[in-house]
Amino acid sequence: MNTRIVAAVAMMLWASACVRAAVFVKDGKPATRIYVNVLTDDPAAPPAAGKAKSKKQKAGDGAALSAAARDLAHHLKKMSGVEVEIVVAEKAGEIVGPAIVLGDLANAMGATPAKTTPSKEAFRIVIKGDRVLIGGESDAAVVFGVYELLNRLGCDWVMPGEIGEVIPSHKTVEVGDLDVTQAPAFQMRRLWYRGYPDRKSDESSRMDRWLTRQRGGAYSPVAGGTAGHMWEAFVRKHAAEFEKDPTMYALVRDVRDGQLKRRGPQIETTHPRVLELMVADIKEALEKNNWPRNQGVAFPIGPADGLGYSVSSESQLVSAGRTDPIVGEADQTDTLINLGNRILETLGPDYPNVMVGFYSYSVHADYPSRYKPNPRIVQIFAPINFSRFHSVLAPNSKTQGYYRGVVEAWGRLSAAQGNPLIYRGYNWNLADNMLPYSKIRIWGEEIPWYAKQGVIAFNTEATKQWGVLAPSNYIYMRLCWDPSRDWKALLHEYCEKAYGKGGPAMERYWLALTERQTEAGQEAGSYFAFPVMYDDAFVSEQRGNLKKAEQKAEGEAEKTRVRYAAHGFEFLPLYLEYFRAAGRMDFVAAKAGLDALLAHWRLGYEMNPDIVANECPQYLARFLQSFVDEGLARSTGAYKKVYTIPDELPTMFDPLTVGHELRYQSPAINDANFVRTKTWSMPWDALGLTGMRSGAVWYRIHFDLSGDLKGKPIGLFLGGMEDEARVWVNGKFVGTSGVRFSLPAVFDLTDDVKAGAPNLIAVQVVRNGNANEIGLGGLLRPSFIFTGPRLPQKAPQQMEHRRVLPGGELGPIEE
């Protein structure tokens, strides 16, 4: 008896499981239909002959749901070869099972999600009888439910376009019992292509579809309205007011003559009229848009991009008196908090839900030490000043460790009084979108950590570069939806899906790249840290991993994705080859190396325009082309090198930029025991010099000039500097390069150099802009002395060295 009861119960359980499982395709034949309550025209398909396109293509009219239904059918067909019909039903009673029911129909049948979100993105998938119901708070939520179902069927999307689709093959397609509700951790999960020349519309459309499939969300919380560099627009709007009263501009010191001057783009935050106008602008916007005074709305109050903040006594009195430790200029965080507090206080209780805010960025990227922020001050973290090779949790990063404390302080404030916090970042290594770079561990550690700090939205600007950034982007999207996921498990999942049996070798490759980038401990921006981080042994090992991955990968799509990653990696050995040629002063080879980098970029663009960044040629032209062209011109043809300036030089630091008054340029100074620092081969960060953020540095170059050069023109080529080089030869001033960050300059030494005798060139490299690039300083690229046709001018620019006397009078011209 007992045995029969057990058998009967088991039979019932088996039958129940069979009923609750959903079969979509059975033995190569359709076993379900897809139901929606509206099906708009497919925007990707041409209209039928004599038929106009439907006008129903606006958000909320069913277009998104229709696209998802078609994409679901597309994936089922690619899985099984079977076409699953899409049926329009106005009411739930019209649905005939078996069925996949989407949207409002599913909600009406019991699939309303238990969770709710500000962005209306929660969905529920539930199997009831022979029906799979996918409901949600909105059409967008239901779309995300469709892709969750496809994920559970083994589908994934590892990059944009058809090449990124991972769709298994099955004669029978089914899913087990389901009742799942999901909602995103962040209200916004945005990864958006930045504006750049020659971007094709299909690049954006491929990216948009990938983002939808990965459950990206562009919903912007009210607090997001505080984003932007607002002061320039404020000055333009009130130009007449600023012209009438220039004291509304920031008071800044002119580095050339030492005089204090009123000028933009920054403003005087303490000026009463500035406060009046900002408050008036907020009230005007509310009235213009017919918003009630209690409307939840947000306004930016952030400075113009760059530096040049006011040094007026009024600004000094409201500041905290701190110096930003990364940029090296006066910290403005408290000044901006003071401005925000005053704006909200002036608006008063009649506007209880107005928010103001600014980017945590540049020299306003700290936590205030003097003023407690009003609960309606928004902070948008835009951590551009800190290491791009490390996460905020990396123990070996000098800069990220500082920022961690800043964000955690804001997190505590937000938990206590509700200040909205938003992240606004970048998916690539700024000022370089070419070399292999990983944000795998960065996103893996930071996104869960930012969630714990109370951040409500992730808004990330992107470049394409999918040959390098594909797994980073994938992990970013997955963690933005669910930050509890483990980044290493996600990387394993990605490699398994993207590369098949080539996955283990690719996982080793991506981990090696990630770990080397982190453990190297380098923080200099752009291309400068790469020759310090990577060597030939690393290149050889990773080429081996990539080769093995392609050999092991079975499908053509899997092999192609390996080739995309291999193409991205090959920029590294090409760049190292270029860098070494430049270091040898072999500018013929350096030009060939630069040309090879451009050719490799073109090859990638032809393979798939998504795998390389469109801006790469512009970056190479901006940072490297002038150096190579000028170096080649001054070392070949009618010109030739006569002395290679050593990489390591006697060095003096000049934090007050007064070394010329102390005669640092004099040949009589004994520099035998001066500290010697490397120039082009090592960025300042690698040398431990990043604390030297202000003023200037001097290099002293001793050389003998052959007697047979007597009477011949002699020139100096400086390959690049941060950001102005002033040159003396044998104690006599030649001229200045002018401000030209990273660009070369040439000087005519003919009149003051001595043939057949010792000579001294003294170079004072002045940092005029403290926000050029992180981790750099001094001479950035190789330099040499040359002979050939005389240069048309002594220096790119001339300048007079004069002391500023009391009262502003200028003293006599000095050497």
Side-chain angles (χ1 to χ4, degrees):
M1 182 70 174
N2 289 341
T3 304
R4 287 198 296 273
I5 292 173
V6 170
V9 169
M11 199 68 169
M12 289 170 61
L13 290 172
W14 176 85
S16 174
C18 289
V19 170
R20 293 294 298 274
V23 180
F24 306 136
V25 176
K26 179 71 172 177
D27 296 328
K29 295 180 181 179
T32 193
R33 295 182 180 87
I34 300 169
Y35 282 86
V36 291
N37 62 358
V38 62
L39 188 65
T40 62
D41 289 341
D42 183 355
K51 181 182 176 183
K53 281 251 187 189
S54 167
K55 294 182 179 179
K56 288 187 121 186
Q57 298 292 324
K58 296 179 181 178
D61 66 359
L65 199 60
S66 298
R70 289 190 176 94
D71 211 20
L72 175 57
H74 160 80
H75 282 76
L76 291 173
K77 183 175 182 179
K78 290 197 79 170
M79 271 190 269
S80 64
V82 172
E83 191 86 49
V84 174
E85 183 183 4
I86 302 174
V87 180
V88 176
E90 293 186 2
K91 298 178 181 178
E94 300 173 17
I95 295 170
V96 178
I100 303 172
V101 186
L102 307 183
D104 290 342
L105 293 171
N107 288 338
M109 297 171 71
T112 302
K115 298 178 180 179
T116 60
T117 62
S119 55
K120 305 296 183 188
E121 292 177 311
F123 66 80
R124 182 183 180 194
I125 308 174
V126 59
I127 296 177
K128 291 194 173 186
D130 60 355
R131 297 163 191 191
V132 177
L133 310 179
I134 306 179
E137 292 186 278
S138 65
D139 281 1
V142 176
V143 169
F144 296 151
V146 167
Y147 291 112
E148 172 63 20
L149 176 64
L150 286 170
N151 267 152
R152 289 170 182 259
L153 294 174
C155 299
D156 213 334
W157 309 275
V158 295
M159 65 177 292
E162 188 175 355
I163 188 60
E165 294 179 352
V166 177
I167 304 175
S169 296
H170 299 294
K171 286 187 177 180
T172 296
V173 181
E174 60 186 348
V175 67
D177 186 20
L178 266 181
D179 188 354
V180 59
T181 295
Q182 291 187 15
F186 299 101
Q187 297 174 29
M188 177 193 288
R189 305 164 310 285
R190 194 171 175 223
L191 189 68
W192 49 279
Y193 280 160
R194 63 197 302 257
Y196 48 77
D198 304 322
R199 189 174 79 194
K200 307 295 189 295
S201 61
D202 59 342
E203 295 175 9
S204 295
S205 62
R206 285 194 298 273
M207 178 64 159
D208 289 345
R209 171 164 281 196
W210 183 82
L211 288 170
T212 300
R213 289 169 167 176
Q214 292 294 354
R215 289 177 256 174
Y219 168 86
S220 181
V222 171
T226 62
H229 302 287
M230 169 264 196
W231 289 2
E232 282 181 299
F234 178 75
V235 170
R236 284 195 301 270
K237 179 176 180 179
H238 301 290
E241 293 272 359
F242 278 86
E243 185 176 354
K244 182 171 66 176
D245 185 1
T247 63
M248 292 166 61
Y249 283 116
L251 183 68
V252 298
R253 190 175 298 280
D254 191 311
V255 296
R256 295 298 180 183
D257 60 18
Q259 298 298 300
L260 291 169
K261 300 175 181 178
R262 291 284 181 180
R263 66 185 182 206
Q266 312 299 12
I267 62 177
E268 185 65 61
T269 63
T270 61
H271 197 294
R273 186 60 177 152
V274 167
L275 177 63
E276 290 173 9
L277 291 171
M278 286 192 174
V279 170
D281 285 350
I282 291 172
K283 292 180 177 179
E284 178 189 342
L286 288 162
E287 289 181 19
K288 184 177 179 180
N289 291 283
N290 294 316
W291 291 330
R293 289 187 175 188
N294 63 353
Q295 174 82 29
V297 63
F299 297 90
I301 60 167
D305 204 357
L307 301 175
Y309 294 91
S310 183
V311 297
S312 70
S313 58
E314 294 85 359
S315 286
Q316 297 296 315
L317 286 170
V318 301
S319 76
R322 298 182 297 182
T323 298
D324 181 90
I326 310 300
V327 178
E329 292 210 355
D331 181 80
Q332 302 296 319
T333 306
D334 279 273
T335 304
L336 291 173
I337 294 298
N338 175 263
L339 174 63
N341 283 347
R342 287 162 51 227
I343 289 170
L344 294 172
E345 288 165 7
T346 305
L347 283 168
D350 289 341
Y351 300 88
N353 296 315
V354 167
M355 290 181 275
V356 297
F358 55 91
Y359 287 142
S360 173
Y361 174 89
S362 184
V363 291
H364 40 93
D366 215 315
Y367 184 78
S369 64
R370 186 172 174 185
Y371 306 103
K372 183 177 182 179
N374 186 294
R376 288 180 283 131
I377 288 183
V378 180
Q379 194 71 166
I380 301 179
F381 301 115
I384 194 173
N385 293 347
F386 309 95
S387 174
R388 297 158 202 154
F389 297 121
H390 300 87
S391 86
V392 73
L393 300 182
N396 64 336
S397 171
K398 301 175 285 294
T399 56
Q400 289 285 9
Y402 183 84
Y403 198 56
R404 175 179 181 174
V406 171
V407 178
E408 287 177 344
W410 277 104
R412 289 190 293 272
L413 183 75
S414 178
Q417 63 178 36
N419 294 73
L421 306 178
I422 292 172
Y423 176 90
R424 196 279 193 214
Y426 304 86
N427 81 328
W428 80 100
N429 179 31
L430 294 179
D432 155 44
N433 48 19
M434 174 183 72
L435 297 174
Y437 171 74
S438 170
K439 292 206 77 164
I440 292 169
R441 180 172 174 178
I442 294 171
W443 293 136
E445 293 180 347
E446 285 193 350
I447 293 174
W449 177 80
Y450 273 112
K452 290 177 182 177
Q453 308 315 311
V455 167
I456 61 173
F458 258 76
N459 183 19
T460 299
E461 185 175 346
T463 192
K464 291 186 304 172
Q465 206 184 1
W466 284 87
V468 168
L469 297 173
S472 298
N473 293 341
Y474 180 89
I475 288 170
Y476 169 87
M477 295 307 304
R478 290 305 176 95
L479 289 175
C480 279
W481 183 269
D482 179 5
S484 70
R485 301 286 303 275
D486 177 76
W487 69 267
K488 287 187 177 180
L490 284 170
L491 176 62
H492 178 78
E493 175 186 312
Y494 178 88
C495 291
E496 208 170 39
K497 292 179 177 179
Y499 313 115
K501 291 185 177 179
M506 289 304 298
E507 190 172 351
R508 289 194 297 272
Y509 164 70
W510 290 118
L511 281 173
L513 187 67
T514 298
E515 296 310 313
R516 174 64 66 94
Q517 174 183 296
T518 303
E519 300 305 325
Q522 300 302 311
E523 303 195 21
S526 188
Y527 312 114
F528 291 95
F530 284 83
V532 184
M533 293 195 294
Y534 299 108
D535 54 21
D536 291 339
F538 182 86
V539 169
S540 178
E541 182 181 357
Q542 301 323 312
R543 278 175 166 166
N545 278 327
L546 290 161
K547 182 178 180 180
K548 183 173 290 185
E550 187 174 356
Q551 290 170 344
K552 292 283 187 180
E554 294 179 330
E556 187 54 34
E558 294 167 353
K559 289 181 180 292
T560 297
R561 295 181 201 121
V562 174
R563 293 183 197 119
Y564 288 167
H567 178 274
F569 180 73
E570 281 304 306
F571 278 112
L572 178 60
L574 288 172
Y575 179 77
L576 294 177
E577 186 176 342
Y578 151 81
F579 181 81
R580 290 163 184 162
R584 298 191 306 269
M585 309 286 178
D586 183 349
F587 285 94
V588 173
K591 185 179 187 311
L594 183 58
D595 290 345
L597 286 166
L598 287 166
H600 193 63
W601 177 85
R602 285 191 290 270
L603 173 63
Y605 197 88
E606 290 168 2
M607 289 170 67
N608 181 339
D610 290 338
I611 69 171
V612 291
N614 283 31
E615 314 96 313
C616 180
Q618 287 78 30
Y619 276 43
L620 290 174
R622 176 182 173 188
F623 294 115
L624 302 182
Q625 191 73 56
S626 296
F627 163 71
V628 170
D629 290 347
E630 190 72 29
L632 185 64
R634 303 304 172 188
S635 62
T636 59
Y639 291 93
K640 68 174 183 178
K641 297 190 299 287
V642 297
Y643 180 75
T644 296
I645 294 174
D647 175 33
E648 193 171 285
L649 294 168
T651 305
M652 287 185 289
F653 294 99
D654 181 12
L656 301 178
T657 321
V658 294
H660 59 286
E661 296 178 10
L662 301 175
R663 312 302 294 170
Y664 283 7
Q665 69 272 29
S666 172
I669 288 179
N670 181 0
D671 59 20
N673 295 310
F674 280 11
V675 64
R676 281 163 165 72
T677 61
K678 294 181 183 296
T679 54
W680 57 267
S681 70
M682 288 274 180
W684 274 20
D685 172 72
L687 298 173
L689 299 177
T690 48
M692 305 298 297
R693 292 304 305 163
S694 300
V697 60
W698 289 74
Y699 300 103
R700 290 169 63 86
I701 304 161
H702 296 272
F703 67 100
D704 293 327
L705 200 60
S706 172
D708 60 11
L709 292 173
K710 186 174 182 179
K712 293 185 179 180
I714 300 296
L716 169 67
F717 169 84
L718 297 179
M721 67 289 301
E722 190 197 15
D723 51 26
E724 177 191 2
R726 301 172 184 174
V727 174
W728 287 257
V729 61
N730 296 324
K732 295 184 178 180
F733 186 61
V734 178
T736 174
S737 66
V739 177
R740 52 172 65 200
F741 170 68
S742 187
L743 298 175
V746 292
F747 300 81
D748 179 20
L749 311 182
T750 305
D751 292 340
D752 302 306
V753 77
K754 297 177 290 186
N759 293 273
L760 172 74
I761 295 173
V763 181
Q764 180 192 36
V765 181
V766 180
R767 180 186 277 123
N768 292 283
N770 282 357
N772 292 319
E773 184 54 276
I774 59 175
L776 305 182
L779 293 175
L780 303 179
R781 295 201 170 84
S783 305
F784 59 86
I785 297 168
F786 61 88
T787 187
R790 188 164 185 178
L791 298 173
Q793 56 186 13
K794 291 196 72 172
Q797 293 182 28
Q798 288 299 320
M799 66 178 292
E800 296 177 345
H801 281 110
R802 292 186 172 191
R803 292 177 185 242
V804 180
L805 303 177
E809 183 181 351
L810 296 177
I813 297 175
E814 302 172 354
E815 283 286 351

